[in-house]
Structure formats: C-alpha cells, structure tokens
C-alpha cells in the first residue's frame, strides 16, 4: 500500500515507517525537522529510512499547505497517518503558539489533504492527555474528555473534534488513537527515559516529580507500531462495529470515525520505572524528589478492551524488557 506519514523523522513516525517499509509498503514521509530537540537525531532517523527504495521524504512544516500538497502528489496515498505534532506537555507552558500552529492549523491542513486525496483511511495520533481531570481509571475511550489540563491536551482534543467533523462532512474513514507514555530506542531526548538514563550514566541527580508516586501505562514503541499496523485495515464502518458484551465502541453514530486507546492497561509506578533503568544501566540513580508539576496527573492508564476486540492485540512488552532495549540502543548511539 501507499502511505503518507507525517512526522517520519520523529520517534514514533520513524518506527512506524521502518516497519511498513520492512513489510513491503511504500512510504512518503513528511517532517519539518524543527529544532525542538537536536535535529541530528531526526536526520539520523531519516537516513536509516532512506536506505529503502520504498521511502521518499518531503521536508516542510505542517502549516505549509503547499508543502503538504507536494508530499501528497508524490505519495498518492491510500492511507495517511498523521503523527507530526508539537509534542511535550511542559513545553506547552513555555511556547503555546507552537502548539496552535502545528496541532491546530497543521492538523486542519492534513484533514484538507485527506479530503482532496479521498484516502481509504485517515489515522490521527492523539494522546492520553485528553482525559485530563477525569478521575476514573482505567481511561476508556467513551469517558469524558472535557477538562484538559494543558494546552497540548486541548489541541489534541480539538484535532479529534475536527477529525470527526471532516469524517462526517466528507465521509473520510478516520481513526484517532490515543497513546499512553510511549518509550523505546530512538526516543526523544526530552522524554523521561532518555533524561534519566543520561543523568544516571553521568552520576547526576534526576528530577522525580510527584515524589515518584505517579503511575503510567508505559507502552513500548514496537507494541505501539504493531497496534497501528493492525488498525490500518480496520476502516471504521458499521461492518466492524464492536458488539461484544461489556465493550463500548466509539464508532460515531454520524460518521465513519472511531477513537481507540493504544495502551496495555498495566500501570507501573514511576519509582519502579526508575528501578528498571538502574538495573539496565547497572548504576544507582540520585533522586531529587519534587512535587507534581502543572498539568501532571497522578495516574494514567488505558482500558485496552476496544483495541483487543478490533485487532486481537494489546501491548505486552514489560518495562524491564523495554528499558533494557532502550539502554542497549542508548549506549551505542
């Protein structure tokens, strides 16, 4: 199949593109190479993808509709996977405009592109952050998402809403998947695992927010990619509405649109996560225990039932295994 993936120089986009290329598909990547973190890491990811004859790349910002149009003409996509975004919860406190530009204007440009290309499936990357102040756990797709705690979460929720409207107006089959704390090799330097490993290796203290009492549904990146790949042929329609007992499908009553959690539903304490890093590195961490930061939640984890019903799959890599794989990559990078 022919895929257009936004964000192929990013952490998740790189892994998804590599998997699809290995499976024999054609991938056109679109990325802005923004300097939110070291661009050399992004360039290294693209360099690996470019070893495949099935990969082509267009460099441009999501806000640049003409650049996206160029990528679409090159790709002639059957499927668009929109992963590119301004990421990072804490950075949204410092530079909110970047989130409005990329996650709102940029996502609207992608929706317009999907309408013009008449794709078979549009897939949008959302986040567990949209659940915001919801105090019910595990988070299920039908739970209320009306109280986002950060601008990042608000822009992702808005993208979901825009996606639903386009799915209804233009009959674009659309799946929005909500990620839960993705980690693994080639991860972003601003993410906790990368920062913790770097500091522990150097014998420097690590900042542990919430005094380590937070729990997260850590999702290993290969498991996330497996789930996305399995969702590609599950094009939202009444033909695949889930009717199993106890499962609430989010397939819209008005549009070919569905929201799906991608998480294993197995929350792990932050201190246990740090212990796995210490074990993999063979070095102890110096912990600097700090209070919760603005926008943080004490606990987030997925109800994975809908994903299981749709794909027969749920992320399964345990934290010690996934962290060890990250450390092996980190020490070679």
């Amino acid at each position: 199949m022919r895929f257009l993936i936004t964000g192929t120089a990013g952490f998740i986009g790189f892994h998804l593109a590599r998997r699809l290329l290995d499976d024999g598909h054609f991938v056109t990547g679109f990325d802005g190479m923004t300097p939110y973190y070291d661009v050399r890491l992004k360039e290294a990811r693209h360099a690996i993808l470019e070893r495949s004859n099935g990969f082509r790349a267009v460099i441009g910002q999501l806000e640049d509709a003409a650049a996206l149009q160029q990528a679409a003409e090159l790709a002639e996509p059957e499927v668009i996977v929109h992963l590119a975004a301004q990421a990072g919860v804490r950075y949204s406190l410092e530079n909110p405009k970047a989130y409005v530009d990329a996650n709102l204007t940029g996502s609207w440009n992608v929706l317009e592109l999907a309408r013009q290309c008449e794709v078979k499936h549009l897939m949008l990357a959302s986040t567990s952050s949209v659940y915001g102040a919801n105090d019910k756990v595990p988070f299920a797709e039908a739970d209320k998402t009306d109280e986002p705690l950060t601008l990042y979460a608000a822009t992702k929720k808005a993208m979901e809403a825009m996606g639903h409207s386009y799915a209804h107006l233009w009959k674009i089959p659309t799946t929005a998947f909500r990620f839960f704390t993705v980690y693994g090799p080639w991860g972003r330097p601003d993410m906790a695992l990368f920062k913790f490993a770097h500091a522990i290796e150097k014998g420097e203290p690590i900042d542990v927010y919430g005094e380590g009492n937070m729990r997260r549904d850590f999702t290993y990146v290969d498991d996330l990619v497996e789930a996305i790949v399995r969702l590609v042929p599950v094009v939202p329609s009444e033909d695949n509405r889930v009717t199993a007992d106890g499962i609430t499908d989010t397939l819209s009553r008005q549009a070919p649109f569905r929201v799906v959690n991608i998480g294993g539903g197995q929350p792990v304490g932050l201190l246990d996560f740090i212990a796995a890093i210490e074990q993999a590195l063979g070095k102890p961490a110096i912990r600097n225990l700090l209070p919760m930061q603005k926008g943080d939640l004490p606990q987030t984890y997925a109800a994975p039932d809908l994903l299981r019903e749709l794909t027969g799959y749920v992320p399964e890599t345990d934290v010690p295994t996934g962290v060890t794989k990250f450390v092996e990559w980190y020490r070679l990078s």
Side-chain angles (χ1 to χ4, degrees):
M1 295 183 71
R2 299 183 306 278
F3 288 81
L4 172 59
I5 302 176
T6 67
T8 43
F11 170 39
I12 296 169
F14 160 70
H15 281 279
L16 176 63
R18 186 166 62 171
R19 165 65 186 274
L20 292 171
L21 291 167
D22 287 345
D23 288 349
H25 300 292
F26 298 96
V27 175
T28 299
F30 184 87
D31 204 288
M33 295 289 181
T34 58
Y36 172 62
Y37 59 85
D38 193 342
V39 173
R40 291 175 296 179
L41 180 57
K42 300 181 180 185
E43 291 171 343
R45 295 182 185 128
H46 255 193
I48 291 173
L49 297 177
E50 286 165 351
R51 296 173 189 169
S52 170
N53 291 330
F55 180 75
R56 294 169 293 184
V58 174
I59 305 303
Q61 300 296 109
L62 287 172
E63 305 92 291
D64 185 348
L68 274 171
Q69 185 65 43
Q70 178 188 350
E73 291 172 358
L74 193 63
E76 297 181 343
E78 298 168 87
V79 177
I80 294 177
V81 187
H82 178 38
L83 296 167
Q86 178 57 63
V89 169
R90 295 188 179 106
Y91 186 61
S92 67
L93 301 174
E94 303 171 23
N95 187 9
K97 187 176 185 299
Y99 292 76
V100 173
D101 290 345
N103 301 357
L104 294 181
T105 303
S107 294
W108 172 70
N109 283 338
V110 172
L111 294 174
E112 277 289 292
L113 199 69
R115 178 177 69 86
Q116 295 164 17
C117 294
E118 299 182 342
V119 294
K120 296 178 180 178
H121 199 173
L122 170 63
M123 309 184 79
L124 305 173
S126 189
T127 171
S128 60
S129 295
V130 301
Y131 290 107
N134 186 357
D135 57 5
K136 169 187 167 291
V137 288
F139 294 154
E141 293 90 345
D143 289 347
K144 186 174 72 170
T145 56
D146 296 333
E147 299 176 343
L149 299 181
T150 65
L151 182 64
Y152 168 68
T155 59
K156 284 296 192 175
K157 174 61 179 175
M159 180 200 67
E160 290 184 10
M162 291 191 297
H164 181 273
S165 69
Y166 265 63
H168 167 66
L169 292 169
W170 309 111
K171 308 307 177 191
I172 305 169
T174 303
T175 298
F177 31 75
R178 294 172 178 166
F179 297 157
F180 284 74
T181 317
V182 187
Y183 74 102
W186 293 95
R188 299 198 325 259
D190 65 309
M191 298 174 75
L193 176 53
F194 203 113
K195 292 166 71 174
F196 287 170
H198 182 75
I200 294 170
E201 279 279 75
K202 290 181 170 294
E204 299 172 350
I206 61 173
D207 290 339
V208 183
Y209 294 103
E211 298 182 340
N213 295 318
M214 294 187 290
R215 287 167 23 112
R216 292 290 183 266
D217 196 350
F218 293 99
T219 309
Y220 187 64
V221 66
D222 286 354
D223 290 359
L224 178 81
V225 166
E226 180 66 30
I228 294 172
V229 168
R230 291 188 183 215
L231 282 169
V232 168
V234 187
V235 179
S237 75
E238 285 297 333
D239 293 337
N240 56 35
R241 182 181 288 277
V242 171
T243 57
D245 292 342
I247 305 298
T248 302
D249 198 346
T250 57
L251 182 66
S252 169
R253 292 169 298 171
Q254 290 83 21
F257 178 94
R258 177 187 276 125
V259 175
V260 184
N261 286 338
I262 300 184
Q266 301 292 327
V268 173
L270 181 55
L271 293 181
D272 292 330
F273 186 66
I274 293 169
I277 302 170
E278 293 174 314
Q279 179 68 31
L281 289 170
K283 294 182 178 181
I286 304 169
R287 297 173 174 82
N288 181 26
L289 300 181
L290 297 170
M292 294 264 287
Q293 284 202 315
K294 284 184 178 181
D296 273 345
L297 294 170
Q299 181 170 239
T300 63
Y301 67 101
D305 308 87
L306 180 57
L307 176 66
R308 182 185 291 112
E309 285 297 319
L310 292 172
T311 68
Y313 179 79
V314 170
E316 55 193 12
T317 301
D318 60 54
V319 161
T321 300
V323 166
T324 297
K325 290 180 179 180
F326 169 84
V327 168
E328 290 171 354
W329 167 79
Y330 176 78
R331 286 182 157 165
L332 292 173
S333 64

